[in-house]
Each structure stands twice: as C-alpha cells, then as structure tokens.
Amino acid sequence: MKRRTRKIIYFFTVTVFVTALWLPLLNDMFCLIPVEETFGKWENRNPAPEAYLNIGNLSPFSQEFENFYNDNFTFRQLCLKSYIYIKYVLLGQSPFPSKVIIGKKGWLYEGAAERNMYEGKTRISNDTLKIIADELHCRAVKYKEKNIRFYVAFAPTKYMIYPEYLPDYIEQRPDFSAPLIEMLNKDTLISFIDLNAILKENKNKGTLYHQTDNHWNMLGGLYAVKKITETINKDIPSVSTLDPLMYIIDSSKNNIGNLSYMTGMKYYFTNNDIEVKPSFEKRSHAAPKANYQMPMWFPYPEQFEIVSRIDSTGLPKLLVIRDSFADAVMPFLNEHFGKVVYIFDSWKYQMNEAIVENEKPDAVLLLIFVPHVANIVKNCDCNVPVNP
Amino acid sequence: MVFSSLIFLFLFLPVVLVANMLMKVKLQNYFLLLASWIFFAWGGIGGFLLLLVSLLVNYIVGLGIGYFRRSTLSKAIFIVGLVINIGGLIYYKYLNFIIDNINQNFFSDPESYINYTKIVLPIGISFFTFQAMSYIIDVYKDKVAVQKNFFNLSLYISLFPQLIAGPIVRYETIEDQLKNRTQSLSKIYDGVKRFVLGLAKKVLIANQMAVVADWAFDADPSLLSSSVAWLGLAAYSFQIYFDFSGYSDMAIGLGKMLGFEFLENFNFPYISKSIKEFWRRWHISLSTWFRDYVYIPLGGNKRGVVKTYVNLLIIFVLTGFWHGASWNFLIWGLIHGALLIIERLGFEKALTSVPSFISRVYVLFFVMMSWVFFRSPDLGSSWTYVSALFGGGSGEISFISAGEYIRPWFVALFIVAILASTPFFRILSKWLYTSYRFFGKRSRPIIGYLYMFLTLVFISSVIFLTTVMLVSSSYNPFIYFRF
C-alpha cells in the first residue's frame, strides 16, 4: 500500500476514534444532537444526585460522580432504545431477562421473584414456614376471641396458571407453597382459600391474567371472589355467593401492562383487556375513610385505605389486608358485604390490630400474592419469633 | 476506574489522549503520572495511599542499592525492599486466608478463633508490587540504572494502562521510553486498533460468555447434566481468555496511543500443543517474571532432575496463589505444574509424534479442567463440577434450560470466539491488507480504502455497541406492580 494511502487511512481512523470519544463531551457543551430526557419515568429510582468533592471525606466522591455521570450520559436514552432494539428485534431476546421473560404468543412474565419461585430457586426453610404458620395461627386465635373469622388466600402467579405460554427453557420445580398450604390446611382456626384450583378450572372460560402484566385481570378477580364468597358463605350464610352469570364479560380497550413498560417496549407489547360488568345495578359505593396511620415510605398513599359500603342491608363487615392483586377483586367483593375495608400495608401483611379493634369486622381476609409470603416473617406483629 | 466504563471512555480517555498529544515528553510524564494517580485513586483513596507508600519505599530502596552498590549494605537494603514488598502483598492479599485456615484447622471451638478485621484487597496490588520488585531486583543485579527521578519511577510503576490488570511491565522495557519516546500517527493508529480490539474482546465476547458461564457455575453443580457442565466450562474458558487478553490488548493499545511500547501478554494460548507452550502464550508477562525472578534464581533446570521438578512445582504453587488466596488457585497451579513435569518426563516427545490435532485437544482438555478449579467457589464444588462433566450430575438442569442462552446469535458469537482464539482473523486481516498482490497493482488504492472502511466500521461498531451495553447496565425498569 502506498505511503500516502496509508497515511490517509491512519488519519481517518484516528480522527473517527477521537471524535467518537469526544462526541458526548462536545454534545454536552454544544448540544449538537438533540438529547432526550435522560431518565425514563419507568425507572425504579431517581437519577443519582450531583456529586460534590469533600476534601475531608474523599472516598465516596468517585462512586457518586460516576453514578451521576452514568445517569446523565448525554446519549443515555438513545443507547437504551438501541439496546432494546438490538436485543429484542435483532437477537430475539428479552432486553432485560432478569426483569421480564418474553413467553409464547406475546405473553410476558415477571423475571425475578415469580420466576425464582416457579423454578424452585426461592428457598424458604421449614422453620421459616413454621414461623409464618404460627404467626397466622396466633392471629386466628386473637380474631376468634373477638368472634372474627379469619381467611387466608394466596393469589397465584401467572406462571402457576398459564405455564403453557412460558418459554420451553423454564421448568417447574417444587416450591415452598405446597408445604405451607399443607400447614395452613391443618390449622382448624384458619380457613385457607385455594385460588389456584379455581383459576385453573376456569381458565377455559376466558383469559384470567393480563398478557402484558403480572396481575390477574377482572375475570381472574371474578373467579377469585367466587371462591372467596363460597368459602365465607359456609361460615357466614348471610354472605351471598358470587354467581359469574350475573356479570357480562367484554373484550375492551388496549392494555399496556406493567411488564410491557419494564421491557421498554410499551407500544409493542399490548393486549386486549377483559372488562367484566355487572348485569345488575351495583349496590356498593365508596365510603369515607377512617384515616388510619399509614406505614412510612408507602409509595401509594391513596391505595392504603379504601372503604366500600352497601347502605342499610345489615350485611357482614369484612376487613381485607391486601396487595395490588385486590384491585381486580374489589368491584365484586364489595357487592357481598355491608362494609369492606381494604388495607394495603406496604406489603407487610400485618395483623393491624388497631384497625381490627376499630372496625370490628365479622371476617378478616388476608389476600397475599404468594411470592410475598416470606414478608410475613419480617413483619410478625402477633406471634413475634425469638429469631425470625 | 475500569477501561470498559462510560467515565473512562468518554471523559478520562479523550481528555488524557488529546492533552498528551499536545505536550512534550517531559511534561507528558508529569501529566501522565497525575492522570494515572487520578485513575487509581478513583478506585479508593486507601489503595492510592498504599501505592504512594510502595512508590516511596521502592524509590528509596533503589537509591540505597545504588548508593551502597559495592558494600554489603546494598544486599541488606535489597532484602529489606523485598521483605517490604512481599510482606505487603502477604498482609493485604493472604492474611485473611492464613488466619481463616489457622482458625478452621487449629481451633475446634469458634470462641478460641483469632479475632481480626477483614483486610480489604487493594486493587492492582499484585501487579504494581511485581513491577516494583522487578525494578529493585534489576537494580540490585545491576541490569538497569537507578532511577533518580521519583516521578519517572512513579510513572513506570503507576502508568494507568497497565496499573490494575497488567501486563506486568519490566522496568528495563520502558526505561528508555521514560526519557525518549516517539509518538507518530501510525503508532496511534496501531494503538487505536489494538484498544478497540481489546474492548470488543472484553465487552462483546467475554461479557456475553460470562452470562452462560455464571449460569452454569452458580448453579448447584450436582444438578448439572454433562452437556450443561461442558457448555458452562467452554463459555468460561472463552470468558477468561477474552476478558484477560482483551484487557491486555487495551493496555497495550493505550500504551501505544500515549507513546509507549509494552510487550505482548497473550499469543493465542488455546492453540498450544503442550502445556509448556501454553505457558509461553498465556499471561506471558507473569510466566516470564516467575521464570526470571524465581525459577532461575532457584537454580532452574541446572541442578538436576529432581531439583528442576521441585522448582517447577514451587513456581506453579506461587503462580496459583498469585491469582488469589484460595486452595482452588493452588490446585489450579499444581495441575499445570504436574502436567509440565509429566511433559518433561518424556510426554512432550510423545506429543510431538502425534498429529497436532491430538496434542491440541490434550492441552485444551487439561487447561479446561484446571479452569473448573479456577472458577468454582470451593474445592467441593470443583470436584462436583468435574464429576458433572462426566455424567455424575443428576441432570436436573438440562440442556433445555440452556435454551434461554443458546440462541442463534450466541452460537454465532461462540464460533467467532473459537476463530478469534486462533490467528484466523489476524491472517484474514493480513491477507486483505496485501490482497492487491492477487488482484493486481491497480487494485491497491481500492483495497487500501476498503481496508480503511472495514476498520472504521469495526471501530465505530465496537464503540457504539460497547456504549449501548454499558448504558443498558444502568437501566433499572420499574420493577413493581401497577401502583
């Protein structure tokens, strides 16, 4: 190769390299390429704050500065979009497999806690399961003293109800729920409601979980309430049993589930949501809150306490300690009780004795998303273990 | 600071590179020393202070050896220097391990255990200590002149391209370059190509292989099917090679961009036909360091067969422990030491008489087996993993589970990794560069520009993909539920 050609090659190559390295800095200084907002609103944290050099304590500065730099990198959004495109469109993989699994026919699954549970990777020792069972038993005893019935229901994961849409590489292994359910079923003071079975039985009647979200949909909620009311009806006959035929099932608007957002491709992964409307006139309505003390740092204050009432029917009162799975349950459950108080205690699933004392319900329902049962151990407020 | 980070690539490097180009050598030395110290202090002020102490001690030891060259005091100062360097290394790198082993093996009651606060391993201590030791040994042996300028010696030991992950640069290699070094467009061009090649090896191959290797090695090895165990081991073999050689390439490339020439550290080790050859191609700067500063002073192979074998075992015990304070590294070193002895006992001759394919399979097999010990968290897991390789696992984690990772693009990457472990791409590149010989003189400029175009595409793609990968690791999508 001629010397001149070689020199041109050297010059261009070095220029391209140096320019590529300087581009972010130059863009920060002169805004050559328009910059999108560097921090997406769907990120589960705030951008790192600016770092300040403290001569008295130099150690944290480098990490703080690097976090700040990374979060404010001028092409961050552009790179994220490119990454998502390369991973999903070109390579056919979930962009963030530790957060979301892309299943068959556009079904999305949560890729961390729910997957770990399904694959038997979430280990909860028998001793810990015993602590959970003892705590719930203790609550049942205290409720019984107050003539309150205690019900426990586990909201199953999407993996448990719809394994057929999972990628082939995900294999089910025994998890902690079976031995725990066995312990709870043996406890005569606790009424355990098996929602897993009813959802599996009825999944041929319509889709019960959002395709692009990890929650059950309104139809899933409807069947869950059917089972809940059937169980409560056996102890408290004045609580009527839900009849699914009293509801109209309708396919409605496009839904973008939480898992769609987590993939970063919210417009790509959508599904038709199922709406369930009563064929009768609703009796329940929102009622004033008692404004109970909310746990600190709870990110959804408007969800902490929700109250529903049916006026002058003399129907029983229900207190529900719940998480986000109660969302799709509320419209149906409200029609079967004179008053329902829903408490979302920041995933602690505590006894909430003060609320029980004030509300004096006829029944307490603990509706808990099954991967969260270990939270009970950390938040025992009835039977506090010596070494949890 | 690591090379494969946004802050290094888009803040530190562009500023250092351009500023260095605009300065004269003498000023460059001070500037590069300051940059190197910032680079190192970025990882922790404590480690940086330790580096400063090491620089100061070795500078004084060097001066002392030179000043008292003809007296016995010179030897005493040299020994003190060695003791301080080795002592520092033992204290920071091995004391936790030593005390833990004493506690576990000599005390049955945990209440009688020696209480101590865990010592944090400073980044790069093995590399900068070995460089400093090579300096004082060479000064003592009168192989190199005493460096009287503290800043020049500091620059040699703490020059940021090789400071935290090698290669271990000998003082004699860059003694002259500290005073006189030339910077040319062609050298910078070579440096850019080499740096980008290293970046590609690290981010595009090693990091992707790591996903599969971590999946296999982090699982309970007793559950692995044989195919999964081999897949994980192959992925780890590629990961460690492309990670380490990629880092060395980046260091050598950066050195060139700054005007320095470092020696090669890897030379396609997986194509070796014997373990002896493997160690001439793998982490060359470490193996030659041990050869020149330990093996030869111990007598090398000149004091009889038995002594030679003992020396070899000593070297490989030290090489093993150099990589980390764990019995696994010792076993890894001993496997290599034992294989070298077996080869010396006559097996090497047998290897030359068989087709090279067989001798290469032999090397790959044992090198991969030794990686099991290098990667596994403890000896128990290592043996269980080895057993799983030969069908001893329950097979609960089967190849179906690997479907998450074994996608067409991964298979393609795997093939690229196999080819890149051989001189295939080097030969291809050379062929392209000189292909005008086949196509006639008139094609020369066209081929030249095609070569430039391909190089530019490669460089741009690697920088783009690396940036995309680095940014994606900072993304944390909203994990929680609807509200």
Side-chain angles (χ1 to χ4, degrees), chain A residues 1-2 4-14 16-18 20-22 24-25 41-45 58-59 61-62 65-66 69-71 73 75-76 79-80 82-84 86-87 91-93 96-99 101 110 112 114-115 168-169 171 173 210 213-216 258 261-262 264 300 303 322-324 327 344 347 369 372, chain B residues 1-2 5-11 13-15 17-18 21 41-46 185-186 188-190 192-193 195-196 208 215 223 257 396-398 400-409 432-433 436 444-445 447-449 451-452 455-456 459-460 463-465 467-469 471-483:
Chain A
M1 206 170 285
K2 278 185 179 173
R4 189 169 156 269
T5 318
R6 268 208 310 266
K7 269 198 164 179
I8 293 171
I9 292 175
Y10 295 163
F11 178 76
F12 266 97
T13 311
V14 172
V16 165
F17 177 73
V18 174
L21 298 191
W22 271 93
L25 265 174
K41 65 174 183 175
W42 274 91
E43 295 198 47
N44 190 21
R45 61 187 177 90
L58 288 169
S59 292
F61 175 75
S62 58
F65 184 83
E66 199 158 343
Y69 182 83
N70 289 344
D71 284 353
F73 184 65
F75 301 128
R76 189 167 187 271
C79 288
L80 281 177
S82 308
Y83 173 78
I84 289 163
I86 291 167
K87 278 285 266 189
L91 305 179
Q93 274 192 313
F96 306 101
S98 61
K99 315 271 192 226
I101 301 293
E110 195 265 350
E114 294 177 38
R115 179 181 176 178
D168 295 331
Y169 59 78
E171 295 173 300
R173 294 196 186 88
H210 299 288
D213 197 293
N214 69 327
H215 293 83
W216 55 32
N258 57 1
Y261 283 97
M262 284 158 65
Y300 313 106
Q303 297 287 338
R322 60 104 176 193
D323 53 33
S324 54
D327 245 17
F344 193 160
W347 304 279
F369 183 42
H372 291 173
Chain B
M1 208 182 291
V2 290
S5 66
L6 291 175
I7 201 158
F8 178 82
L9 287 174
F10 297 110
L11 199 60
L13 184 58
V15 172
L17 215 54
V18 171
M21 283 178 193
W42 204 255
I45 296 297
L185 194 59
S186 68
I188 297 174
Y189 167 81
D190 284 343
V192 167
K193 275 207 312 185
F195 178 78
V196 174
Q208 309 315 312
W215 168 71
L223 303 179
M257 284 188 251
E396 212 174 298
I397 300 176
S398 67
I400 297 169
S401 321
E404 186 171 6
Y405 309 104
I406 310 303
R407 299 297 180 93
W409 70 269
L432 182 66
Y433 197 72
Y436 63 86
R444 264 175 97 161
I447 287 165
Y449 288 117
Y451 188 83
M452 177 182 82
T455 309
L456 289 180
I459 289 173
S460 316
I463 292 179
F464 172 71
L465 289 173
T467 313
V468 162
M469 298 278 188
V471 167
S472 73
S473 63
S474 75
Y475 180 61
N476 192 358
F478 207 126
I479 192 70
Y480 214 67
F481 303 118
R482 194 177 295 136
F483 38 77

Side-chain angles (χ1 to χ4, degrees), chain A residues 92 94 97 100-105 107-110 115 118-119 159 162-172, chain B residues 400-401 403-405 407:
Chain A
S94 169
V100 184
I101 301 293
I102 298 176
K104 295 168 189 164
K105 297 183 179 174
W107 280 65
L108 303 181
Y109 293 83
E110 195 265 350
R115 179 181 176 178
Y118 187 75
E119 293 189 312
Y159 284 79
Y162 287 101
E164 60 270 32
Y165 297 118
L166 281 168
D168 295 331
Y169 59 78
I170 293 185
E171 295 173 300
Q172 187 174 19
Chain B
I400 297 169
S401 321
E404 186 171 6
Y405 309 104
R407 299 297 180 93

Side-chain angles (χ1 to χ4, degrees), chain B residues 79-117:
Chain B
I79 289 168
V80 168
L82 280 186
V83 167
I84 292 173
N85 277 301
I86 295 169
L89 202 56
I90 290 173
Y91 177 79
Y92 283 104
K93 196 163 177 175
Y94 303 104
L95 201 63
N96 291 339
F97 174 72
I98 292 167
I99 296 176
D100 282 347
N101 275 281
I102 291 172
N103 280 340
Q104 281 161 22
N105 295 305
F106 294 96
F107 303 107
S108 51
D109 180 10
E111 288 198 355
S112 356
Y113 277 9
I114 302 167
N115 281 323
Y116 71 105
T117 313

